[in-house]
């Protein structure tokens, strides 16, 4: 199997396929379904025939989650091992990839995070579930720990801090704090000017997430759907104090990056005109470089082109080496999305 292959090569990259259900509108319009998931065989088939073309292709992934899969299934089966790794002191990254409208934000954030009898709602996504699991595990171990989070957006190769209240009301761009990506020369990176918030409860993280998402959403309406063209990165860093058998104190540090990528339709729309040309180019650069970095890691085929985009520079300490990476490739089951779906299946499949 592919995951065994990855293990043999010492690479921990998992590619998961998730297909959302048809929306109510799509159902009302009797949109044909052209995607068929076989979770047991970990296969996805795209099948469609029209008078001028015939498509019938099957792809295998590390895991497949069909339209009836629940948020909890995805989390328990694919994400828990990654969260455990973070608690062991490693850096890990989870990406949501796919065309706009296929469920990237649903998978990562989901609907609600209001607790009911201590339980998250069934539509809560990966981020609130990961946060809850990290806190539960550390509390159950009575561990001494500290935690901080950052939440940023990468748009046009520029970093915006989603934890800082919106500066736009204080007038022009000059007041905008620009965040610089710096390298420490030892393979580590840090971001000068980025707000790091210390958090002590899961509830605090949910609030931060709401605040950041709201800011991202405002930007989206102001700047004409910016979020489909930007990447957002929510990172949780934990420091856990431990004692060695010799009684020596030791700090374990792990980081989890949760990345909601720009819509992948931007990758194929290279015909962008005017002011969009640069933007499309930059989005392409990040998504294409990410694909190349992952391919190189999987194949062990030499030089890893981290430096070719800000997204991969920013995540450099959490990709490759002793880290776990998971890509959730999101698709729609609808015939109208078939072209984009096939390009997502190809991209995700190449990453294996
Ligand atoms: P994206 O972030 O990729 O643009 P969204 O996460 O915003 O897409 O999803 C688009 C719409 O589809 C939203 O209304 C979302 O609630 C719904 N949706 C996505 N995935 C699912 C799913 N697995 N189950 C139910 N609804 C979903
Ligand atoms: Mg989204």
């Amino acid at each position: 199997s592919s995951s065994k292959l990855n293990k043999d090569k010492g690479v921990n990259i998992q590619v998961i396929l998730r297909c959302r259900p048809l929306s109510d509108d799509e159902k009302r319009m009797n949109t044909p379904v052209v995607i068929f998931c076989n979770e047991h065989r970990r296969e996805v088939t795209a099948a469609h025939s029209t008078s001028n073309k015939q498509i019938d292709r099957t792809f295998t992934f590390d895991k497949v989650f069909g339209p009836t899969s629940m948020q909890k299934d995805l989390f328990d089966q694919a994400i828990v091992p990654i969260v455990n790794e973070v608690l062991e002191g490693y850096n890990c990254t989870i990406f949501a990839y796919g065309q706009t409208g296929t469920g990237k934000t649903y998978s990562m954030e989901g609907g609600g995070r209001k607790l009911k009898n201590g339980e998250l709602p069934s539509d809560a996504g990966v981020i609130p579930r990961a946060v809850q699991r990290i806190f539960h595990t550390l509390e159950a171990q009575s561990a001494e720990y500290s935690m901080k989070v950052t939440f940023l957006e990468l748009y046009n190769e520029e970093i915006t801090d989603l934890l800082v209240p919106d500066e736009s009301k204080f007038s022009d761009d000059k007041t905008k704090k620009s965040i610089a990506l710096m390298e420490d020369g030892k393979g580590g990176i840090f971001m000068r000017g980025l707000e790091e918030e210390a958090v002590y409860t899961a509830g605090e993280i949910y609030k931060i997430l709401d605040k950041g998402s709201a800011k991202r959403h405002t930007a989206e309406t102001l700047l004409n759907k910016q979020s489909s063209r930007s990447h957002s990165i929510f990172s949780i860093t934990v420091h856990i104090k431990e004692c060695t058998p010799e009684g020596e104190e030791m700090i374990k540090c792990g980081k989890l990056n949760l990345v909601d990528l720009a819509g992948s339709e931007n990758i194929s729309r290279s015909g962008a005109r005017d002011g969009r040309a640069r933007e499309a180019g930059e989005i392409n650069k990040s998504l294409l470089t990410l694909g190349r970095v992952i391919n190189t890691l999987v194949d062990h085929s030499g030089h890893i082109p981290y430096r070719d985009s800000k997204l991969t520079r920013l995540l450099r300490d959490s990709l490759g080496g002793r880290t776990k990476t998971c890509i959730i490739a999101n698709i729609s089951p609808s015939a109208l999305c078939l072209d984009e779906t096939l390009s997502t299946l190809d991209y995700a499949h190449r990453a294996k």
Side-chain angles (χ1 to χ4, degrees):
S1 81
S2 57
S3 34
K4 181 166 171 291
L5 242 172
N6 283 346
K7 211 173 280 158
D8 290 344
K9 287 187 187 171
V11 176
N12 282 301
I13 296 176
Q14 230 199 138
V15 184
I16 288 168
L17 193 287
R18 186 177 206 192
C19 181
R20 70 160 167 79
L22 283 180
S23 67
D24 290 342
D25 280 348
E26 287 168 330
K27 278 186 206 150
R28 218 170 296 127
M29 295 184 298
N30 289 320
T31 312
V33 165
V34 295
I35 297 297
F36 306 92
C37 296
N38 186 325
E39 299 186 355
H40 181 66
R41 296 174 60 104
R42 301 183 285 112
E43 282 176 1
V44 176
T45 301
H48 192 42
S49 54
T50 58
S51 51
N52 55 6
K53 73 177 169 189
Q54 190 116 21
I55 286 160
D56 186 358
R57 293 179 64 191
T58 295
F59 300 79
T60 309
F61 292 94
D62 291 312
K63 287 191 175 68
V64 168
F65 294 90
T68 58
S69 69
M70 305 291 287
Q71 299 279 60
K72 187 181 188 308
D73 302 331
L74 175 76
F75 186 76
D76 289 349
Q77 291 168 40
I79 310 299
V80 164
I82 297 176
V83 173
N84 290 343
E85 203 79 357
V86 171
L87 292 169
E88 286 303 315
Y90 297 102
N91 293 354
C92 300
T93 306
I94 299 165
F95 294 100
Y97 180 93
Q99 178 187 7
T100 298
T102 52
K104 295 183 296 298
T105 305
Y106 181 85
S107 294
M108 295 306 255
E109 297 181 15
R113 37 192 163 265
K114 283 241 153 58
L115 296 178
K116 242 192 236 147
N117 308 323
E119 294 264 335
L120 284 165
S122 63
D123 61 352
V126 166
I127 298 180
R129 284 173 197 275
V131 164
Q132 193 192 42
R133 186 171 172 99
I134 290 172
F135 275 108
H136 275 176
T137 310
L138 292 172
E139 292 298 332
Q141 294 169 350
S142 316
E144 207 176 306
Y145 65 91
S146 68
M147 193 179 309
K148 57 194 183 190
V149 302
T150 61
F151 197 10
L152 64 88
E153 184 172 62
L154 185 62
Y155 175 71
N156 244 337
E157 297 289 276
E158 275 183 31
I159 301 167
T160 306
D161 193 338
L162 293 175
L163 293 189
V164 172
D166 211 341
E167 310 88 348
S168 60
K169 52 178 173 290
F170 303 117
S171 86
D172 54 48
D173 273 345
K174 270 175 259 159
T175 57
K176 242 191 187 155
K177 204 163 55 164
S178 79
I179 290 155
L181 183 58
M182 320 279 282
E183 278 163 61
D184 64 7
K186 288 176 274 178
I189 53 111
F190 62 98
M191 277 160 277
R192 200 189 54 207
L194 188 69
E195 200 75 30
E196 274 188 331
E197 241 172 273
V199 284
Y200 305 95
T201 64
E204 283 177 314
I205 299 198
Y206 301 149
K207 265 195 210 129
I208 288 172
L209 188 57
D210 282 338
K211 205 168 73 179
S213 304
K215 182 167 173 185
R216 195 178 186 209
H217 189 76
T218 316
E220 177 178 333
T221 29
L222 285 176
L223 295 175
N224 181 25
K225 285 268 170 207
Q226 172 174 328
S227 88
S228 73
R229 299 196 293 272
S230 69
H231 313 285
S232 80
I233 308 180
F234 188 83
S235 304
I236 308 169
T237 307
V238 271
H239 287 90
I240 307 164
K241 198 187 273 181
E242 282 201 338
C243 277
T244 64
E246 294 78 39
E248 253 180 284
E249 254 182 26
M250 208 182 74
I251 306 280
K252 267 194 316 202
C253 175
K255 180 154 86 174
L256 180 61
N257 303 297
L258 300 136
V259 186
D260 190 344
L261 290 167
S264 56
E265 67 276 12
N266 295 292
I267 243 182
S268 37
R269 303 273 154 78
S270 45
R273 268 167 263 120
D274 315 325
R276 294 279 179 76
R278 166 158 181 264
E279 189 182 75
E282 302 290 9
I283 299 163
N284 281 356
K285 193 156 82 180
S286 283
L287 288 178
L288 291 171
T289 303
L290 176 65
R292 278 197 294 272
V293 163
I294 286 169
N295 285 338
T296 316
L297 289 171
V298 171
D299 298 343
H300 287 271
S301 52
H303 173 72
I304 302 164
Y306 292 112
R307 297 197 57 89
D308 292 358
S309 80
K310 217 167 234 180
L311 178 70
T312 47
R313 278 178 66 200
L314 210 136
L315 294 169
R316 185 186 181 130
D317 66 355
S318 305
L319 287 172
R322 181 71 170 79
T323 67
K324 274 197 163 67
T325 301
C326 172
I327 300 164
I328 306 170
N330 293 271
I331 58 172
S332 148
S334 147
L336 302 174
C337 298
L338 185 55
D339 284 346
E340 289 295 348
T341 298
L342 287 169
S343 76
T344 294
L345 289 168
D346 279 328
Y347 180 102
H349 199 251
R350 269 199 312 275
K352 293 203 324 130

